[in-house]
C-alpha cells in the first residue's frame, strides 16, 4: 500500500509544519488536544475562506467537578477569539490576522501577518501543573515605521457553581497597560492565560516563559525515552508524538494521579479498557513515573469491587474515584483487567508490584471461569464498544483477552513461585484456545475467519484480536478479510463491513496483530499509510478515537496502542518474567537497522538494536552492564534474561 499522498504537513527537526501558502486546499480547520496535570485544552485552529486565522479553545479543568458530578462532570468552557484579550494596532482593533504557517512539536505555534507589517507568533500550550491554559504572543515589527500596539482585556469573567463550591473563570493578559511602540525590527512579548479556581484559592502569578520551559521539558523527556530509530521518519515522528499524548493525559485528583482518555468528556476517571488494557502495559517502557503511578492507582481502585460474590467490576471509576459507571453491564472488564495487570506487573520488573497485583489477577481469572459457557468461551453482556454494535452474549474480544490473560498470568505465576497456578492457567489457556476456534471460527462473507458472536454473519473489525493475542489458526483468511474493501478504508478498519463508522483502536490492534502473525511487509506498508494520514494529513498528529462519534477526538489511550504496534509488533517484545522477555524482531525489507533506545522496562534501562545480516538479523541488547548479542532468522524468537 502506498502512503497517502494527500498531505498537508511536512516533517521538520522535531516538529511538523503546515506552510499555508504551499498546501493549498483552503479553507481548512483542525483540532488537537494538549494536557497538563490540572488542565486540558482542545485547540481549534486553521484558515477561513478569506485567509484569516481561525482560533478557539475548549478548556477543561478535571479537578473542578460540576453538578452532576458524573463521567462528564469536569468544568469546561469554550473560548473563542471574541472573548479573549485582543490587540489594537495603531489605534484600531486587529481584524486581519492571516496565517503563514503552523507548527507542532508538543506546543502549537502559529505565525501570522497582521496590519501595518506586524508579525504575530502565537504559542499555545497547557501548564504542566497549574490550572491554566496558556498562550505566549510575540509581536515583531517587520515594517519600516514604528507601530503602536495595545493589548486589551475584554473583562470576561465567569462564575459557575460546582461540586466543590463556586468556580471563578477568567481570561487575561500580562502585557503592560497602555499603548506601546514597537520600532522597526523590534519585538514585544506578552502572555495570555485562561484560568479557573475556587473562590478560596488565591491567585498566584504565572510566568509564561517559565511555564513554556516546563512544557518543553516534558516534551523533551517524552521524546528521549523509548526512542524509535528507523529509516522511516514518519514512523519515528508519529511514535514520538504518540508517546507524548499517552503520557501527558494524567491528572491530579483527590484519589491521586489518574490517566484518563480526554477528548472533552473523559477526565479524572479510569476505564478497564483505556487505562488498564491499552495504556497501562506501555508505561513501564516509557519509564514515566507519573504514568506508572497512575496505572497502579487505577488497578488499586478496581480492587475495591472484587468481592466474594464475584459480581462484575465496573467499566469505569469516575469523578476522581468516588463513583462508578457500569451502564453497558459486564463488557469483559475482568478479562481486560487480568490482561493489562499481568502485562504491567511483568514489565515493571518490580516484585512488590507483582505480589500486590496477584490477588486481583487471580480474582479476575476466577470471574472469567465463572462466566464460561457450555461451549467453553467467556460470556459478557457487551464489549468495549458498549452496545454501539451488536456483540451477542459471548463475543470474540472478551474470550481472546481472557486467553492472553491466562498466558501472561501463567508467566507471572512462575516468577512468583506459584507452580500450581502456573499449570492451571496454562491448561485454561489451552482449553480456551480450542473453544475460541470451535465457537467463533467460521466462514464469514467468504473469508475463513471468525464470527464476532453467535449469529454474526457480517465481517467485523475485531476479528483482528485473535492475531494480536497470539491465536493464528485462521490468520491467512483473517488478514485477507481485514484488508479487503469490505473492511479496510482510507482511515483504517471500518467497525463493520458496509458501515462508515471507524474506531482507531481496532485498526491499531489489527496492525499489531499482522506483525504478530509474521506478516511484516504487509503490516509495515499499511502502518506507513495509516501513519502518514494521521501525522501529515488533514487531522493531525495523533491516532484518534472514532468517527462520526466524537469527531476523531485525540483520546490518549489510542496513542498508547499505536506505540504498542512498535514495542510488541515490530520488535515483538513479550514479557516472560520480571527480568526476562521474548523478543521477535521483524525487520522490514529494505531496512538495514532499527532500534529502540532508552527502553525503561524490567527494572532497568536498555537499548534494543536490530541489524540486517547477509543470512538473517542480529539483535543487540545493551544496558549499563554491557551487551548481549543474538543472531538468527528475521522473525525468530530470542529469549532475553538478566
Amino acid at each position: 500500500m502506498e502512503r497517502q499522498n494527500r498531505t498537508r504537513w511536512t516533517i521538520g527537526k522535531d516538529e511538523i509544519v503546515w506552510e499555508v501558502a504551499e498546501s493549498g486546499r483552503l479553507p481548512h480547520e483542525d483540532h488537537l488536544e494538549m494536557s497538563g496535570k490540572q488542565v486540558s485544552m482542545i485547540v481549534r485552529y486553521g484558515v477561513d475562506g478569506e485567509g484569516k486565522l481561525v482560533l478557539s479553545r475548549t478548556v477543561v479543568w478535571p479537578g473542578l467537578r460540576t453538578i452532576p458530578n458524573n463521567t462528564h462532570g469536569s468544568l469546561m468552557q469554550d473560548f473563542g477569539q471574541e472573548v479573549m484579550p485582543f490587540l489594537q494596532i495603531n489605534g484600531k482593533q486587529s481584524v486581519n490576522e492571516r496565517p503563514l504557517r503552523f507548527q507542532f512539536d508538543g506546543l502549537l505555534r502559529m505565525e501570522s501577518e497582521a496590519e501595518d507589517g506586524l508579525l504575530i507568533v502565537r504559542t499555545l500550550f497547557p501548564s504542566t501543573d497549574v490550572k491554566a491554559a496558556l498562550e505566549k504572543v510575540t509581536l515583531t515589527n517587520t515594517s519600516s515605521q514604528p507601530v503602536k500596539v495595545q493589548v486589551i482585556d475584554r473583562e470576561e469573567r465567569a462564575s459557575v457553581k460546582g461540586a466543590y463550591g463556586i468556580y471563578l473563570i477568567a481570561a487575561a493578559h500580562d502585557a503592560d497597560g497602555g499603548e506601546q511602540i514597537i520600532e522597526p525590527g523590534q519585538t514585544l512579548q506578552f502572555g495570555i492565560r485562561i484560568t479557573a479556581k475556587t473562590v478560596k484559592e488565591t491567585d498566584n502569578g504565572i510566568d509564561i516563559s517559565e511555564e513554556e520551559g516546563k512544557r518543553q521539558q516534558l516534551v523533551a523527556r517524552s521524546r528521549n525515552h523509548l526512542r524509535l530509530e528507523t529509516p522511516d521518519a514518519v514512523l519515528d515522528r508519529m511514535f514520538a508524538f504518540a508517546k507524548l499524548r499517552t503520557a501527558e493525559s494524567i491528572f491530579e485528583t483527590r484519589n491521586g494521579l489518574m490517566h484518563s482518555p480526554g477528548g472533552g468528556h473523559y477526565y479524572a476517571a479510569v476505564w478497564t479498557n483505556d487505562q488498564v488494557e491499552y495504556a497501562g502495559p506501555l508505561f513501564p517502557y516509557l519509564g514515566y513515573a507519573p504514568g506508572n503511578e497512575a496505572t497502579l492507582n487505577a488497578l488499586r481502585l478496581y480492587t475495591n469491587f472484587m468481592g466474594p460474590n464475584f459480581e462484575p467490576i465496573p467499566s469505569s471509576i469516575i469523578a476522581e474515584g468516588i463513583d462508578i459507571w457500569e451502564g453497558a453491564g459486564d463488557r469483559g472488564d475482568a478479562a481486560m483487567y487480568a490482561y493489562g495487570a499481568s502485562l504491567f506487573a511483568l514489565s515493571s520488573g518490580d516484585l512488590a508490584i507483582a505480589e500486590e497485583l496477584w490477588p486481583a489477577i487471580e480474582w479476575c481469572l476466577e470471574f472469567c471461569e465463572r462466566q464460561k459457557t457450555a461451549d467453553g468461551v467467556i460470556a459478557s453482556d457487551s464489549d468495549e464498544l458498549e452496545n454501539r454494535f451488536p456483540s451477542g452474549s459471548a463475543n470474540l474480544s472478551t474470550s481472546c483477552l481472557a486467553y492472553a490473560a491466562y498466558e501472561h498470568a501463567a508467566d507471572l505465576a512462575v516468577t512468583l513461585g506459584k507452580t500450581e497456578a502456573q499449570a492451571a492457567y496454562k491448561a485454561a489457556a489451552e482449553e480456551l484456545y480450542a473453544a475460541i476456534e470451535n465457537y467463533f471460527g467460521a466462514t464469514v462473507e467468504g473469508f475463513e475467519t471468525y464470527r464476532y458472536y453467535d449469529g454474526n454473519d457480517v465481517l467485523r473489525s475485531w476479528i483482528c484480536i485473535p492475531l494480536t493475542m497470539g491465536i493464528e489458526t485462521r490468520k491467512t483468511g483473517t488478514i485477507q478479510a481485514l484488508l479487503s474493501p469490505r473492511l479496510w478504508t482510507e482511515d483504517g478498519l471500518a467497525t463493520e463491513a458496509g458501515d462508515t463508522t471507524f474506531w482507531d483502536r481496532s485498526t491499531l490492534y489489527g496492525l499489531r496483530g499482522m506483525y504478530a502473525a509474521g506478516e511484516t511487509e504487509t503490516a509495515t506498508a499499511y502502518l506507513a499509510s495509516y501513519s502518514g494520514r494521521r501525522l501529515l494529513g488533514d487531522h493531525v498528529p495523533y491516532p484518534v478515537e472514532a468517527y462520526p462519534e466524537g469527531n476523531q477526538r485525540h483520546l490518549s489511550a489510542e496513542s498508547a496502542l499505536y506505540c504498542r504496534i512498535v514495542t510488541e509488533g515490530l520488535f515483538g517484545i513479550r514479557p516472560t518474567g520480571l527480568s526476562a522477555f521474548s523478543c521477535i524482531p521483524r525487520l522490514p525489507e529494505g531496512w538495514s537497522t532499527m532500534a529502540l533506545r532508552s527502553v525503561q522496562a524490567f527494572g532497568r534501562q536498555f537499548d534494543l538494536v536490530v541489524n540486517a545480516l547477509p543470512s538473517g538479523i542480529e539483535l543487540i541488547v545493551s544496558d549499563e552492564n554491557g551487551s548481549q548479542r543474538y543472531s538468527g532468522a528475521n522473525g525468530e524468537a530470542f529469549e532475553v534474561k538478566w
Side-chain angles (χ1 to χ4, degrees):
M1 158 149 317
E2 295 293 327
R3 174 170 280 142
Q4 294 286 342
N5 293 321
R6 191 176 172 83
T7 58
R8 183 176 297 275
W9 296 70
T10 57
I11 293 179
K13 180 178 181 296
D14 291 314
E15 71 277 357
I16 57 172
V17 177
W18 168 20
E19 299 284 359
V20 174
E22 297 176 7
S23 68
R25 307 199 314 276
L26 297 176
H28 174 68
E29 296 181 24
D30 198 8
H31 58 89
L32 66 80
E33 184 164 12
M34 299 177 282
S35 304
K37 289 181 180 177
Q38 297 199 64
V39 70
S40 197
M41 59 191 300
I42 300 168
V43 183
R44 294 170 181 85
Y45 64 95
V47 184
D48 70 11
E50 297 180 349
K52 296 181 181 180
L53 176 68
V54 175
L55 178 60
S56 66
R57 312 149 181 81
T58 298
V59 183
V60 185
W61 293 275
L64 297 178
R65 309 304 300 167
T66 60
I67 302 171
N69 188 2
N70 57 20
T71 298
H72 310 294
S74 299
L75 180 64
M76 179 167 59
Q77 187 153 321
D78 294 333
F79 293 85
Q81 288 298 81
E82 72 278 0
V83 300
M84 297 294 291
F86 66 91
L87 190 66
Q88 281 191 346
I89 302 174
N90 288 330
K92 297 180 180 180
Q93 181 175 343
S94 175
V95 294
N96 195 31
E97 190 171 339
R98 296 178 175 272
L100 302 172
R101 72 197 306 262
F102 295 84
Q103 174 182 310
F104 181 76
D105 63 357
L107 299 81
L108 180 62
R109 295 181 178 87
M110 47 200 74
E111 181 179 313
S112 304
E113 291 178 324
E115 297 88 343
D116 298 335
L118 201 64
L119 183 71
I120 304 176
V121 178
R122 301 177 181 272
T123 304
L124 282 74
F125 56 95
S127 169
T128 58
D129 51 17
V130 300
K131 300 184 188 77
L134 303 170
E135 177 181 342
K136 184 182 78 172
V137 184
T138 303
L139 309 176
T140 302
N141 183 358
T142 65
S143 74
S144 59
Q145 300 296 321
V147 175
K148 298 177 182 178
V149 299
Q150 185 173 3
V151 186
I152 300 176
D153 273 333
R154 297 185 189 265
E155 297 300 326
E156 286 292 332
R157 302 288 188 272
S159 64
V160 176
K161 184 178 181 180
Y164 305 139
I166 300 297
Y167 307 142
L168 305 178
I169 306 170
H173 68 84
D174 61 9
D176 290 339
E179 199 170 63
Q180 299 182 69
I181 297 176
I182 308 178
E183 298 292 341
Q186 301 272 313
T187 63
L188 172 68
Q189 179 179 298
F190 63 93
I192 296 174
R193 60 191 183 275
I194 300 172
T195 59
K197 67 183 185 69
T198 65
V199 291
K200 290 188 175 181
E201 287 182 276
T202 57
D203 284 311
N204 295 316
I206 294 176
D207 185 315
I208 194 76
S209 295
E210 181 181 337
E211 291 292 336
E212 182 183 25
K214 290 180 180 179
R215 175 69 180 180
Q216 289 171 333
Q217 289 173 9
L218 173 69
V219 171
R221 193 204 172 285
S222 171
R223 184 184 300 130
N224 291 331
H225 281 191
L226 193 64
R227 189 171 69 254
L228 177 64
E229 297 176 358
T230 76
D232 191 324
V234 171
L235 296 186
D236 292 356
R237 185 61 44 77
M238 180 80 176
F239 184 80
F241 283 159
K243 287 186 298 176
L244 173 63
R245 182 72 195 120
T246 303
E248 71 176 353
S249 193
I250 295 173
F251 304 100
E252 289 182 348
T253 77
R254 284 161 174 77
N255 273 288
L257 295 178
M258 287 188 184
H259 185 268
S260 299
H265 288 279
Y266 309 111
Y267 302 89
V270 295
W271 278 256
T272 51
N273 55 332
D274 291 72
Q275 278 58 62
V276 178
E277 177 192 341
Y278 301 167
L282 177 70
F283 274 120
Y285 296 87
L286 294 179
Y288 187 52
N292 290 327
E293 181 181 342
T295 300
L296 275 173
N297 286 341
L299 293 167
R300 287 164 177 161
L301 283 169
Y302 277 104
T303 62
N304 295 324
F305 299 92
M306 297 178 183
N309 295 330
F310 288 89
E311 297 178 6
I313 59 176
S315 300
S316 64
I317 299 174
I318 63 172
E320 300 188 286
I322 67 170
D323 203 352
I324 63 173
W325 180 85
E326 46 189 353
D330 172 25
R331 307 177 309 156
D333 297 287
M336 296 175 189
Y337 186 104
Y339 167 79
S342 296
L343 279 176
F344 177 79
L346 287 164
S347 300
S348 71
D350 190 315
L351 180 60
I353 288 175
E355 290 176 336
E356 177 186 348
L357 295 179
W358 179 255
I361 294 167
E362 281 189 308
W363 187 97
C364 287
L365 292 177
E366 175 60 23
F367 179 91
C368 290
E369 284 292 320
R370 294 174 182 231
Q371 294 298 110
K372 271 190 178 177
T373 69
D375 295 295
V377 296
I378 313 300
S380 60
D381 298 321
S382 63
D383 62 3
E384 49 83 41
L385 287 183
E386 298 167 358
N387 295 314
R388 293 173 177 89
F389 287 79
S391 59
S393 59
N395 65 74
L396 182 63
S397 179
T398 295
S399 287
C400 288
L401 283 166
Y403 164 76
Y406 283 125
E407 288 277 292
H408 296 308
D411 288 334
L412 187 59
V414 172
T415 297
L416 297 177
K418 300 180 181 294
T419 55
E420 290 185 8
Q422 187 266 346
Y425 290 153
K426 289 297 290 184
E430 292 172 5
E431 292 173 5
L432 188 51
Y433 188 107
I436 288 169
E437 169 61 25
N438 292 334
Y439 185 80
F440 294 108
T443 302
V444 182
E445 298 194 42
F447 295 96
E448 292 300 315
T449 181
Y450 302 92
R451 60 181 184 174
Y452 192 60
Y453 57 91
D454 184 17
N456 168 230
D457 58 3
V458 179
L459 288 172
R460 292 283 293 271
S461 63
W462 279 108
I463 59 172
C464 67
I465 200 167
L467 302 178
T468 314
M469 302 305 162
I471 301 171
E472 299 185 6
T473 309
R474 293 172 174 261
K475 74 173 185 179
T476 301
T478 297
I479 292 174
Q480 289 173 348
L482 291 170
L483 300 183
S484 74
R486 291 290 291 157
L487 282 178
W488 193 268
T489 74
E490 64 180 0
D491 273 301
L493 290 171
T495 299
E496 181 177 85
D499 196 296
T500 57
T501 300
F502 67 85
W503 289 68
D504 263 18
R505 57 193 65 173
S506 60
T507 300
L508 300 165
Y509 261 97
L511 292 169
R512 193 165 106 218
M514 290 180 211
Y515 277 115
E519 297 295 328
T520 301
E521 304 314 315
T522 299
T524 302
Y526 279 81
L527 176 61
S529 175
Y530 169 88
S531 301
R533 183 173 178 83
R534 289 288 180 266
L535 181 71
L536 302 175
D538 284 338
H539 181 42
V540 304
Y542 302 121
V544 303
E545 179 202 24
Y547 185 84
E549 180 176 327
N551 193 27
Q552 302 190 64
R553 293 178 286 215
H554 286 144
L555 299 196
S556 61
E558 275 74 1
S559 282
L561 288 178
Y562 183 90
C563 293
R564 291 176 64 187
I565 296 172
V566 172
T567 56
E568 298 173 39
L570 190 61
F571 284 83
I573 300 173
R574 171 181 167 151
T576 55
L578 298 179
S579 58
F581 63 95
S582 173
C583 184
I584 306 178
R586 300 174 176 100
L587 188 68
E589 289 182 9
W591 290 16
S592 61
T593 187
M594 64 182 186
L596 273 177
R597 306 281 185 183
S598 191
V599 186
Q600 305 293 306
F602 309 106
R604 69 195 68 239
Q605 176 175 301
F606 60 96
D607 291 347
L608 288 179
V609 179
V610 181
N611 295 317
L613 298 176
S615 58
I617 60 167
E618 173 188 46
L619 170 67
I620 306 171
V621 184
S622 304
D623 66 2
E624 62 181 3
N625 297 316
S627 299
Q628 303 179 47
R629 292 177 177 267
Y630 308 82
S631 59
N634 195 16
E636 179 180 335
F638 303 104
E639 301 301 323
V640 179
K641 296 181 180 180
W642 283 282

